[in-house]
Amino acid sequence: MKHKNFVIQISVLLLLVVASIGGYSLGKSAPQVDNSYQNYLPPLIELDLPPQTVNGITADLESYYADGLRLVFVVRLTGENNSYYWDSVSLTDNLNQFVNASYGLGPVGNSLSLFSIDMAFETPLQVEQFKGVLSFSVVPMMPEFEISGLSSFEFDIDLPIKSALILNPNQKIAVNGVEMLLEKLLISPAYTKVYLCYNKPTNADWGIGGDVELTVDSQKGYLSTYSLLYDTDNGDVGKNIEPDWSPPIEEGRCIKLGFPIGNESPQSITLRIPTLNQSMPEAIPEDELAVAREKLLQQGIDMDWQVFDYGNGGGGSGPVYNKLPAGMTEEKAYQKFIEALGYIHHGPWEFTINP
């Protein structure tokens, strides 16, 4: 018997800061960087900024990309250690106001010292030139190097911004009792945001599921960011994210999806939503479990759902696999399980826009 806990990770929007302190003028006539080692990043431009050294760690902003929806920096960290932990990243504008964005941090290629900071703005930057401050803090992964405290860095930035397009297709597609509205798209050369609304199959927590896919001309991209804007059961939850937006529907849910692809002049855009998935509760009602068990046993799948109590307020839940058909993986059995529970509502919903 095997137990497996499933954890749903939710991307959290961070308020990132940018402040102007004179700043260096960057990227005005800089050459492009060969970006073959990291094809998911847009083409990068070299930066000519002096590196900064704090507590024995040196940070060097080597290159960047900037448009109205996406900002990417490649940072090289060097010092006594060859492995670092990122404690914080922030961005402010020249009025010292936080810039609302989600962000991702990751190594570049196989390097232990080269990292990308990839930001997706919640609302487009409406400027031709962005001035501000990029701030971040790192610590060594290995404490025995005795580098005391955080190493915090602040880089003044002054970057030209490629603009984003706004499209309002207002397309509706109804499949399997669910009508979806593709209200709006924001498209920059390297990022796309999609505003999508739909009626929920039931009053439960129904989100998009499967491999949501966006195709912009010859590029194909998958979901990068997700924001809940409106839900009948929760009200207008997106006002803090986007104060000027209002829901175009009275009943249902509205969401904003982000994809790390785009185009300056898109000719064809396709969005495909395979399914809606109901979020998995910690304690599944016994009558729903009984129906699911019966369906699964007919397919040779003997499994259950168990809640674990570890004491001291700790615990969790997950599937218990008693017996599976030959060749079936636990992941496949889990998909069969949530389908048997009725927690998957099938589409697909497919939109095509020709700007």
Side-chain angles (χ1 to χ4, degrees):
M1 183 182 300
K2 298 180 180 179
H3 302 268
K4 181 175 290 185
N5 291 324
F6 286 80
V7 179
I8 299 174
Q9 296 181 342
I10 302 175
S11 60
V12 179
L13 297 176
L14 295 182
L15 298 178
L16 305 178
V17 189
V18 186
S20 173
I21 309 177
Y24 296 87
S25 182
L26 310 179
K28 300 258 174 109
S29 59
Q32 288 195 348
V33 176
D34 178 9
N35 197 30
S36 58
Y37 59 84
Q38 198 77 317
N39 57 18
Y40 69 88
L41 293 178
L44 301 174
I45 303 296
E46 290 180 354
L47 283 173
D48 186 19
L49 283 174
Q52 299 178 13
T53 301
V54 179
N55 292 332
I57 298 176
T58 298
D60 185 7
L61 284 188
E62 292 194 346
S63 53
Y64 82 98
Y65 171 83
D67 68 29
L69 290 175
R70 190 176 183 187
L71 182 58
V72 179
F73 292 100
V74 170
V75 183
R76 185 176 298 277
L77 297 175
T78 54
E80 295 178 330
N81 192 22
N82 63 357
S83 185
Y84 302 93
Y85 170 77
W86 288 76
D87 181 75
S88 64
V89 179
S90 64
L91 184 69
T92 51
D93 62 18
N94 60 347
L95 299 177
N96 201 29
Q97 299 294 313
F98 288 101
V99 177
N100 193 1
S102 59
Y103 79 98
L105 295 166
V108 176
N110 297 320
S111 175
L112 295 175
S113 60
L114 207 58
F115 299 87
S116 65
I117 301 173
D118 197 342
M119 304 178 188
F121 303 120
E122 277 304 308
T123 56
L125 294 179
Q126 305 287 351
V127 294
E128 294 183 357
Q129 198 79 16
F130 182 82
K131 296 180 181 181
V133 173
L134 172 69
S135 306
F136 56 87
S137 298
V138 298
V139 293
M141 291 285 272
M142 303 295 290
E144 59 263 32
F145 289 105
E146 298 182 357
I147 299 177
S148 60
L150 295 175
S151 294
S152 298
F153 304 91
E154 291 187 352
F155 286 91
D156 300 339
I157 58 175
D158 184 356
L159 307 173
I161 299 294
K162 301 176 183 179
S163 62
L165 300 175
I166 301 176
L167 301 177
N168 298 284
N170 283 309
Q171 283 191 19
K172 292 182 179 179
I173 294 178
V175 178
N176 198 14
V178 171
E179 182 178 81
M180 285 196 179
L181 166 66
L182 178 57
E183 181 200 13
K184 182 169 67 172
L185 295 98
L186 306 177
I187 305 176
S188 71
Y191 208 84
T192 301
K193 285 190 177 288
V194 174
Y195 291 69
L196 192 71
C197 299
Y198 55 90
N199 63 291
K200 299 187 293 183
T202 68
N203 291 332
D205 180 22
W206 287 92
I208 58 170
D211 292 326
V212 181
E213 186 178 281
L214 181 75
T215 303
V216 179
D217 298 329
S218 60
Q219 297 183 83
K220 186 173 291 186
Y222 296 92
L223 190 61
S224 171
T225 60
Y226 171 99
S227 301
L228 175 62
L229 297 176
Y230 173 79
D231 191 285
T232 305
D233 300 319
N234 300 311
D236 193 350
V237 297
K239 282 302 180 187
N240 291 332
I241 299 173
E242 202 161 335
D244 296 331
W245 177 87
S246 59
I249 61 173
E250 294 182 1
E251 298 287 332
R253 170 172 287 194
C254 292
I255 56 178
K256 180 164 58 173
L257 311 177
F259 301 84
I261 59 170
N263 198 310
E264 287 187 74
S265 303
Q267 302 301 306
S268 178
I269 303 165
T270 302
L271 174 69
R272 188 176 189 275
I273 311 290
T275 64
L276 293 180
N277 287 14
Q278 181 179 325
S279 60
M280 184 69 71
E282 183 172 298
I284 302 172
E286 192 58 40
D287 58 340
E288 294 183 7
L289 278 174
V291 172
R293 287 193 199 100
E294 184 176 346
K295 292 179 180 179
L296 293 173
L297 286 172
Q298 293 173 3
Q299 303 174 57
I301 302 171
D302 183 2
M303 61 179 291
D304 207 338
W305 186 264
Q306 184 171 334
V307 177
F308 309 103
D309 184 0
Y310 301 124
N312 298 321
S317 60
V320 178
Y321 301 97
N322 302 315
K323 184 180 179 181
L324 301 180
M328 177 173 286
T329 64
E330 293 180 355
E331 287 74 18
K332 181 66 174 177
Y334 182 73
Q335 284 297 116
K336 295 282 188 182
F337 177 56
I338 59 176
E339 284 200 54
L341 286 168
Y343 289 3
I344 295 180
H345 194 87
H346 289 280
W349 298 264
E350 188 166 312
F351 299 88
T352 300
I353 302 97
N354 297 304

